[in-house]
């Protein structure tokens, strides 16, 4: 609700000309719908989304967001820097599954449990085997991460956030 003025309402108005006399509207039908609740909900959602992006993108740790099926939806700039990812938008469009993302292969997708993982990755060897598609970094990477499942009100997996860091 609007804390400044609780009497403030938002409406959708619709007007239709039903009859004209010599090109001038002579009968107009109008309807109005109070959309205050929807408007305030949209504003609250926009504010939460802005807070999410501010936190996600400004984090000093690598962060990734997976959908409930374990597919990458987003990752922050710090993760791109750590892994040498140059084409963030292409990576997001590729819809990679967590099982195919080095160094996150140790994470069990669809788990409702917090998972701590660490991995040793020879990126040059993995690249030679065709397993590295977007990672520009080379050499050895020691990496640790924690996956944090987000559950809905019914206890079903909604998404997973992964926070990680290079410990090479």
């Amino acid at each position: 609700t609007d804390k400044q003025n609780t009497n403030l309402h938002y409406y959708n108005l619709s007007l239709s000309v039903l009859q004209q006399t010599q090109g001038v509207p002579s009968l107009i039908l109008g309807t109005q719908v109070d959309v205050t609740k929807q408007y305030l909900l949209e504003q609250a959602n926009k504010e939460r989304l802005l807070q999410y992006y501010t936190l996600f993108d400004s984090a000093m740790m690598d962060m990734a967001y997976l959908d409930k099926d374990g597919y990458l939806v987003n990752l922050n700039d710090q993760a791109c820097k750590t892994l040498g990812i140059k084409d963030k938008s292409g990576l997001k469009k590729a819809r990679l599954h967590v099982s195919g993302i080095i160094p996150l292969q140790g994470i069990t997708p669809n788990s409702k449990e917090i998972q701590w993982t660490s991995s040793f990755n020879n990126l040059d060897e993995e690249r030679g085997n065709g397993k590295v598609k977007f990672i520009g970094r080379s050499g050895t990477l020691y990496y640790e991460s924690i996956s944090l499942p987000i559950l809905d009100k019914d206890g079903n997996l909604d998404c997973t956030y992964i926070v990680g860091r290079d410990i090479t």
Side-chain angles (χ1 to χ4, degrees), residues 19-74:
Q19 185 176 350
Q20 293 185 21
T21 304
Q22 298 177 351
V24 177
S26 58
L27 183 60
I28 298 174
L29 175 65
T31 59
Q32 73 178 16
V33 177
D34 186 343
V35 294
T36 304
K37 287 181 182 179
Q38 296 93 322
Y39 176 80
L40 295 175
L41 181 61
E42 285 176 17
Q43 294 305 310
N45 285 340
K46 285 180 185 178
E47 186 175 318
R48 276 193 297 278
L49 189 60
L50 179 61
Q51 290 171 348
Y52 156 77
Y53 278 113
T54 300
L55 175 64
F56 189 80
D57 285 334
S58 66
M60 299 297 287
M61 299 286 286
D62 302 345
M63 294 186 74
Y65 168 61
L66 308 174
D67 69 12
K68 66 180 180 171
D69 297 317
Y71 288 93
L72 180 69
V73 175
N74 200 0

Side-chain angles (χ1 to χ4, degrees), residues 14 40 45 59 77 105 127 134 145:
S14 178
L40 295 175
N45 285 340
D77 291 339
Q105 293 174 331
R127 188 172 288 105
F134 291 93
S145 63

